[in-house]
Amino acid sequence: MIAIPASTARIQPGAFRDRFHVPPGPDGSESVYFTGNSLGLQPLATRAALMTELDDWARLGVEGHFEGTHPWYSYDEPLKEPLARVVGALPHEVVAMNGLTVNLHLLLTSFYRPTPRRSKVVVIADAFASDRYAIASQIRWHGLDPADNVIAVEPEPGAHLVDDEAILETIATHGDSIALILISGVHYRTGQAFDFESITRVGHEHGCTVGFDLAHAAGNLDLQLHEWGVDFAAWCSYKYLNSGPGSVGCAFVHERHSDNPHLHRHEGWWGNDPATRFSMPESFVPHVGAAAWQLSNAPVFSMAPLRVSLGIFDEATMPALREAGLELSSALLGALESVAGDAVEVITPRQPKRRGCQLSLRFPRGGRAIQEALAGAGVSSDYRHPDVIRVAPAPLYNTVEECGRFAEIIGEVIRR
Ligand SMILES: *Cc1c(COP(=O)(O)O)cnc(C)c1O
């Protein structure tokens, strides 16, 4: 049993750094790794967790499904509680399966059901490509034209950010024709965190279904998906959740949908009630909750890293990580202001409620050269054409000292 500290416990940013492999920079010393929003670092314990599964396979063959250290038949079951704690859900509302975009499609199949009167989808402008493709292809799959059915909420002219108010007004204006609101909880490019609670409430007041892509929000914000009444969500486990490249995706379905017999769903044997799964009943008997959306048996080699990662999140706890994450990004904001002044524009909102770990920095004199200089100085950051650099100090393994070092390096590069 893992002891779970009270949610009021605080942690120092970087308190879990010695549990992770920090990649070396060009001089061989530990880099300043600010790209955990893109690919989180590898926990030291992940290798052994994978070896356990390989050893069980070697030792037990098919018997590993029931006799293994962590029996594969029910491998996903013990993940539900810690996964639910990361996103503020009930255990039967979450499931680890597939990849993020696959899960978006599976959930859109159930939750985007256009009618002649209600067919539109509200999104934030400039959403991540995969989300745009998934939505457009779903709309076409229903025989409709994305050009008439996507409402993208845009920033004010000349601005980078979309006001939460603008989203709520869009919902109010088009309410009767909106089937679905699908928002990226934290925008991948700007780092802006949206107001989940108000969007969900106002969406529901207008009879819309409300879903979120949590790619940049899971393991970053302190989410309360159940309490906020979000209908569904999907996320990946390789960004803030540190489960390794292309690792298993996750999904949330609010319990109010869990026993709706009229729901359309793509079904497979792994979504069947485990009690009768192997007797292979003639027709599908859905598993309770989000697990009913599972199609295939658990990909154990990508779930083992998730199991390790969720153990670390349980030790740290999400409320404490959220506080430590804000401490880091605030330290970074302060340090940047003092060294760089006007030479850098921070696109990400300053208000703590409206951001997570990531800060998106705009360098009007060009971002590419700065990112290359940062890499040379042992800082891992990420560049988005033409002038944005994204940095995301992650509270499990990044420190306030690294934020100061980052700002110093920026200061030097700018003065050159
Ligand atoms: C990272 C990310 C993805 C990636 O999708 P995969 O299916 O995991 O490859 C999708 N959407 C958003 C918003 C992302 O940030």
Side-chain angles (χ1 to χ4, degrees):
M1 267 294 284
I2 293 163
I4 298 160
S7 61
T8 47
R10 297 183 69 97
I11 60 163
Q12 286 286 336
F16 289 77
R17 186 179 178 89
D18 62 1
R19 308 279 192 95
F20 289 88
H21 290 284
V22 180
D27 69 357
S29 69
E30 284 181 349
S31 59
V32 174
Y33 192 82
F34 279 176
T35 39
N37 57 337
S38 199
L39 184 72
L41 289 181
Q42 182 189 142
L44 302 185
T46 300
R47 181 180 297 262
L50 279 168
M51 288 311 292
T52 298
E53 303 311 335
L54 284 170
D55 288 345
D56 280 1
W57 182 23
R59 191 168 56 90
L60 298 166
V62 70
E63 301 305 331
H65 281 106
F66 297 98
E67 306 296 328
T69 315
H70 307 284
W72 305 323
Y73 180 73
S74 51
Y75 201 88
D76 55 310
E77 292 294 333
L79 300 186
K80 286 182 186 168
E81 290 199 4
L83 187 57
R85 285 191 277 273
V86 169
V87 293
L90 303 177
H92 65 275
E93 291 176 321
V94 296
V95 63
M97 59 181 186
N98 314 308
L100 163 53
T101 308
V102 178
N103 290 343
L104 271 181
H105 271 296
L106 293 177
L107 293 167
L108 286 169
T109 296
S110 300
F111 294 108
Y112 176 58
R113 304 297 307 170
T115 64
R117 216 171 72 98
R118 274 188 193 273
S119 61
K120 300 202 165 137
V121 184
V122 173
V123 298
I124 304 294
D126 185 28
F128 194 87
S130 202
D131 301 42
R132 287 189 278 111
Y133 304 156
I135 292 165
S137 61
Q138 286 273 339
I139 291 171
R140 284 196 302 271
W141 188 69
H142 284 283
L144 301 171
D145 184 352
D148 303 329
N149 287 288
V150 175
I151 303 176
V153 187
E154 306 268 351
E156 292 289 313
H160 297 288
L161 302 173
V162 172
D163 284 337
D164 284 305
E165 280 306 315
I167 303 171
L168 302 182
E169 274 166 30
T170 302
I171 298 169
T173 307
H174 300 277
D176 289 351
S177 63
I178 298 168
L180 173 69
I181 299 160
L182 184 59
I183 307 286
S184 235
V186 174
H187 194 278
Y188 81 101
R189 211 175 71 83
T190 64
Q192 177 180 5
F194 293 101
D195 183 349
F196 287 74
E197 201 172 359
S198 304
I199 292 170
T200 305
R201 181 174 36 80
V202 174
H204 286 167
E205 281 166 13
H206 288 84
C208 318
T209 301
V210 185
F212 286 89
D213 180 329
L214 307 177
H216 285 265
N220 178 8
L221 304 182
D222 189 12
L223 300 167
Q224 298 300 332
L225 298 182
H226 175 80
E227 198 185 309
W228 296 334
V230 169
D231 290 294
F232 70 91
W235 60 102
C236 54
S237 64
Y238 50 81
K239 290 173 179 168
Y240 292 97
L241 294 182
N242 306 318
S243 299
S247 188
V248 68
C250 306
F252 163 90
V253 177
H254 198 281
E255 71 171 348
R256 82 169 75 88
H257 299 295
S258 67
D259 56 1
N260 176 358
H262 306 296
L263 215 58
H264 291 256
R265 179 168 50 210
H266 288 314
E267 291 166 351
W269 76 316
W270 221 254
N272 197 90
D273 180 354
T276 58
R277 189 183 280 150
F278 271 85
S279 62
M280 310 221 179
E282 186 54 35
S283 56
F284 183 79
V285 183
H287 196 302
V288 174
W293 274 260
Q294 293 174 113
L295 299 177
S296 298
N297 69 101
V300 166
F301 297 137
S302 86
M303 281 183 168
L306 178 61
R307 206 171 55 75
V308 170
S309 166
L310 292 173
I312 298 174
F313 273 84
D314 258 349
E315 280 184 69
T317 77
M318 210 46 243
L321 280 171
R322 171 62 169 151
E323 285 301 310
L326 283 174
E327 192 180 331
L328 281 176
S329 48
S330 301
L332 188 55
L333 272 171
L336 275 173
E337 240 153 51
S338 67
V339 300
D342 292 344
V344 51
E345 177 192 356
V346 180
I347 295 175
T348 312
R350 266 145 214 278
Q351 304 96 301
K353 243 182 88 92
R354 298 181 70 210
R355 63 179 158 85
C357 295
Q358 175 184 328
L359 295 182
S360 297
L361 314 177
R362 198 171 152 262
F363 293 87
R365 282 185 280 149
R368 177 54 107 189
I370 296 202
Q371 196 242 354
E372 280 166 7
L374 283 169
V379 178
S380 174
S381 66
D382 156 305
Y383 165 77
R384 293 277 146 171
H385 185 75
D387 55 7
V388 171
I389 290 178
R390 304 185 305 169
V391 283
L396 280 172
Y397 46 77
N398 290 124
T399 63
V400 170
E401 187 265 326
E402 286 182 297
C403 295
R405 241 163 80 207
F406 175 84
E408 267 172 39
I409 296 166
I410 288 283
E412 281 166 26
V413 174
I414 287 171
R415 281 192 296 277
R416 264 186 234 151

